[in-house]
């Protein structure tokens, strides 16, 4: 569910909808969205909002029908084309649930294209629930103005990530043992940033990752960051020097 906004709202509500959007289309909302617009935002027939489907940009919509549990919109006009998301993925060792939720929310805001939960030797996360992570990413995209959602991959073991990867995609490895300074390590272009679990990578894992083709060990400074802080700091650094914050 979208977060409760400040009241009165300063801008139009934004919703992700699972329907292909075109001018004139009618879109039925699910019960949660209808409740949000009707009971939380107190909007009724004729009210405007913004919607996006993850593929066709952002659209102005109007509430055409408002029932107790159902709501239908009509799509009026496109307000934004889909944005170009930098081609940067975040492969992260999941941590505890609250911190993983936080990581997914913030990485979506920072502009990640794809999130890959990676199981390492010292990963001690509870089971990763993809549906929950997708819901968090949708809520963050609604809030921050993204028109394209990040893709969320099934969790995969570190060895498989390294075997299967396209080696032309640069692998930036956040290595607490040292590496190239983040300010000079990142370059524009397809990238995957890899960060470890709370216990760090084992020496064997570090050696394997460092030996991978097109891998760049990156230092995030002299302090040991918590796993979720490291993932987001690396992503923000990439966006600053090589992504769309330049
Ligand atoms: N237990 C490890 C230790 O004491 O050395 C620390 C692991 S740290 C909490 C979790 C992950 O964040 C690391 O595996 C690494 O990927 C990343 N990380 C944390 N601080 C970092 C730094 N200063 N430079 C690069 N990566 C860092």
């Amino acid at each position: 569910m979208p977060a409760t906004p400040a009241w009165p709202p300063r801008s139009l509500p934004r919703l992700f909808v699972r329907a292909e959007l075109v001018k004139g289309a009618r879109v039925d909302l699910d019960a949660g969205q209808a409740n949000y617009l009707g009971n939380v935002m107190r909007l009724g027939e004729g009210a405007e909002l913004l919607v996006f489907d993850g593929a066709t940009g952002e659209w102005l919509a109007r509430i055409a029908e408002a029932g107790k549990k159902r709501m239908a919109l009509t799509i009026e006009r496109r307000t934004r084309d889909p944005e170009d998301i930098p081609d940067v993925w975040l492969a992260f060792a999941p941590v505890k649930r609250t911190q993983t939720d936080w990581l997914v929310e913030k990485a979506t805001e920072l502009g990640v294209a794809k999130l890959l939960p990676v199981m390492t030797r010292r990963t001690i996360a509870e089971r990763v629930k993809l549906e929950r992570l997708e819901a968090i990413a949708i809520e963050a995209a609604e809030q921050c103005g993204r028109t394209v959602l990040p893709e969320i991959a099934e969790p995969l073991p570190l060895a498989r990530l390294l075997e299967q990867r396209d080696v032309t995609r640069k692998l930036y490895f956040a290595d607490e043992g040292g590496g190239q300074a983040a300010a000079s390590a990142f370059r524009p272009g397809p990238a995957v940033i890899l960060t470890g679990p709370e216990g760090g990578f084992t020496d064997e894992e570090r050696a394997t990752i460092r030996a991978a083709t097109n891998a760049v060990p990156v230092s995030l400074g002299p302090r040991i960051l918590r796993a979720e802080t490291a993932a987001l700091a690396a992503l923000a650094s990439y966006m600053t020097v090589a992504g769309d914050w330049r």
Side-chain angles (χ1 to χ4, degrees):
M1 272 298 296
T4 305
W7 189 264
R10 285 182 293 271
S11 54
L12 292 181
R14 265 187 112 244
L15 283 186
F16 170 74
V17 290
R18 293 186 193 278
E20 199 185 321
L21 298 176
V22 286
K23 189 173 170 171
R26 181 189 155 103
V27 174
D28 290 317
L29 298 184
D30 64 36
Q33 291 175 319
N35 176 56
Y36 168 68
L37 291 182
N39 297 325
V40 180
M41 299 298 291
R42 298 176 226 166
L43 298 181
E45 279 173 21
E48 292 181 330
L49 66 149
L50 297 169
V51 291
F52 63 104
D53 59 5
T56 63
E58 180 186 83
W59 298 75
L60 181 72
R62 195 173 295 277
I63 299 176
E65 212 182 297
K68 278 218 168 107
K69 292 194 175 156
R70 296 192 46 205
M71 209 174 252
L73 310 176
T74 45
I75 305 306
E76 297 204 335
R77 65 181 166 83
R78 200 193 309 257
T79 50
R80 278 169 60 205
D81 287 328
E83 79 264 43
D84 279 332
I85 294 283
D87 191 4
V88 57
W89 302 356
L90 183 59
F92 65 98
V95 277
K96 287 191 186 117
R97 197 172 79 171
T98 314
Q99 284 87 342
T100 301
D101 290 355
W102 191 77
L103 185 158
V104 169
E105 178 182 281
K106 301 306 170 206
T108 303
E109 290 173 35
L110 294 177
V112 76
K114 183 170 175 177
L115 289 156
L116 302 97
V118 175
M119 300 307 181
T120 68
R121 283 285 293 280
R122 294 182 182 148
T123 301
I124 46 164
E126 304 133 37
R127 209 164 67 81
V128 176
K129 292 193 179 122
L130 286 192
E131 260 183 32
R132 178 185 171 81
L133 299 188
E134 275 160 13
I136 290 168
I138 287 172
E139 192 176 320
E142 287 173 338
Q143 179 270 326
C144 76
R146 277 181 75 144
T147 61
V148 178
L149 297 177
E151 188 183 334
I152 302 183
E154 292 277 350
L156 83 173
L158 175 64
R160 190 128 36 92
L161 172 83
L162 296 176
E163 276 159 29
Q164 289 180 350
R165 63 183 270 265
D166 168 0
V167 295
T168 61
R169 176 176 295 277
K170 223 167 211 171
L171 173 64
Y172 294 105
F173 163 43
D175 189 351
E176 68 267 33
Q180 212 176 317
S184 60
F186 297 115
R187 295 269 180 278
V192 53
I193 295 169
L194 173 63
T195 59
E198 273 315 311
F201 291 103
T202 64
D203 288 343
E204 199 186 338
E205 286 174 328
R206 287 185 58 231
T208 310
I209 302 164
R210 279 177 162 259
T213 309
N214 226 348
V216 181
V218 178
S219 166
L220 299 170
R223 290 164 291 278
I224 299 291
L225 308 179
R226 295 190 74 143
E228 67 277 17
T229 314
L232 297 171
L235 183 57
S237 301
Y238 176 92
M239 287 300 179
T240 305
V241 297
D244 60 7
W245 299 9
R246 282 177 295 159

